[in-house]
Amino acid sequence: MAADHSVDPARWRVLFDQAMARIAGRFGRVEPRATARAYLLGLLSATERKNCWQLAEQAGLARPGPMQRLLRYARWDADALRDDVRAYVVDHLGDDGVLIVDETGFVKKGSMSAGVQRQYTGTAGRIENSQVGVFLAYATERGRALIDRRLYLPERSWCSDPERRHAAGVPEDLPFATKPRLAEEMIVAALDAGVTASWVTGDEAYGQDPQLRARLERIGIGYVMAVACSTRVRINQGRTPVRADVLADRLPASAWQRHSAGAGAKGPRYYDWAWIHIGTGVHRHLLIRRNRTTGELAFYLCWSPTQITLHELVRVAGVRWSVEECFQAAKSQVGLDHYQVRHWTSWHRHITLAMPALAFLTALAADANPARPADPQHPDRSHDPIILTVPEIRHLLVAVFAPPAMTAARLLHWSTWRRRHQAAARRSHYQRRSTDGPAG
């Protein structure tokens, strides 16, 4: 590790201790506080599946009980911890970021997990039996991280079924809320907590919601929200609204400008862009993106409290993809989707604990990567490695937080534990099937 000046194991350990100190007060007793620390270290480890059994084995525990109690019965407030994570992210990534709303799916088996039903999820790209979480991310030039979460509760299959809600631990007074309403709640909560952001962005699921856009305008925060090609807008104070794709076809060649939507894995992501003033104010636009190879179009409704440039709208539109990077890192690096819990409380606690793990990796990446010339062809960078990424930092942390040596006895203990519990589960399934089977 000494070969790279930006990698400092001792400093990383200190920064982890500081991050834990910020949230330690949320756990009133010593046991859940120590378990939470072990849980986070497990999420940051190289453990293949980051569920309670695997995390307990990683931590050197004799059984998964402490991890399971942390998620289900221990007394601590996941929303208060979420608030700490949000403040930590802003402290390390800086002010005046972009808030991004999006959802991700968690494919599940069975019907008992809170909020589960057959529904479309972009995670699978089709309708699957799944839970859907709506998330809020915060992005600046220094990085991006998840800062809030809500579990979507379907109206018919869950909100209208008191027995099912009770079994899954869903609060009795929790009303049905659409995904845009959940997004609105998180945005308002972040701004009320002092998060300084000038923009909100999201995909069509949120951009198509007029109530969300109106709320953002009332509180004075700009937005660049994706919408469908069939969206109708008014131009030149006309009375008849026109489809967005029809307007795009009418644009002359001179209306299109080439801009980068940000850096991708293979360099700047260049598209052709055009913007059209819509409505009655000078601060409202239809933004259009055109793929330079395929000609495919994408559309955004934009509003800002002050006059803005096309370049700035393009920048915000490009930032939206940061949330996809957050989901990918959260799932592949800190086990966001590795949980094996059904209860409402347990889901929120696991997801909330995954958020500081991701935030810590993001903070290390921001801390370890000093400002360097932006051009990769710059002579001062011709022999430099790429900057430290979140996956690379998580990989290095395996050595920084080396777990106790895995003895043969310890491996055998956990093998026996797993197989006994798997045998009990199999007997339970067989008994249930024999009971449900046809009469002889």
Side-chain angles (χ1 to χ4, degrees), residues 81-90 93 99-104 106 133-139 143-149 186 322-331 334 336 351-352 354-360 362:
L81 179 59
R82 178 272 322 274
D83 294 344
D84 293 337
V85 174
R86 184 171 54 205
Y88 176 85
V89 168
V90 174
L93 299 188
L99 296 173
I100 316 165
V101 291
D102 203 359
E103 63 197 61
T104 190
F106 304 90
V134 181
F135 288 80
L136 183 67
Y138 181 78
R144 69 280 302 169
L146 302 174
I147 61 171
D148 206 348
R149 74 288 177 268
M186 293 188 290
S322 297
V323 71
E324 300 294 344
E325 297 172 355
C326 285
F327 290 148
Q328 181 180 3
K331 291 181 177 183
V334 298
L336 184 76
I351 297 297
T352 305
M355 286 165 53
L358 177 63
F360 176 65
T362 304

Side-chain angles (χ1 to χ4, degrees), residues 1 4 7 12 333 361 386-398:
M1 286 192 181
D4 190 334
V7 178
W12 285 5
Q333 303 301 320
L361 293 175
I386 67 169
I387 63 174
L388 277 170
T389 61
V390 163
E392 184 66 19
I393 290 174
R394 209 276 307 158
H395 178 72
L396 294 172
L397 284 175
V398 173

Side-chain angles (χ1 to χ4, degrees), residues 161-175:
D161 190 336
E163 292 185 4
R164 198 179 191 194
R165 289 169 61 113
H166 177 74
V170 178
E172 292 183 2
D173 58 348
L174 186 75

Side-chain angles (χ1 to χ4, degrees), residues 70 166 218 254 269 275 314:
L70 179 70
H166 177 74
R218 287 197 302 272
S254 59
R269 294 177 288 134
W275 61 336
V314 169

Side-chain angles (χ1 to χ4, degrees), residues 10 60 82 85 88 161 168-169 185 197 199 207 265-266 271 286 293 328 338-339 341 367 372 378 392-393 397 426:
R82 178 272 322 274
V85 174
Y88 176 85
D161 190 336
E185 290 176 8
W199 294 98
K266 300 180 180 179
Y271 295 91
L286 174 68
T293 302
Q328 181 180 3
H338 291 191
Y339 60 88
V341 298
D367 180 74
R372 297 193 289 186
H378 192 285
E392 184 66 19
I393 290 174
L397 284 175
R426 183 172 59 183

Side-chain angles (χ1 to χ4, degrees), residues 278-294:
I278 59 175
T280 58
V282 297
H283 305 154
R284 198 179 301 278
H285 298 87
L286 174 68
L287 178 67
I288 309 171
R289 186 193 73 198
R290 184 175 67 190
N291 187 294
R292 294 175 59 82
T293 302
T294 66

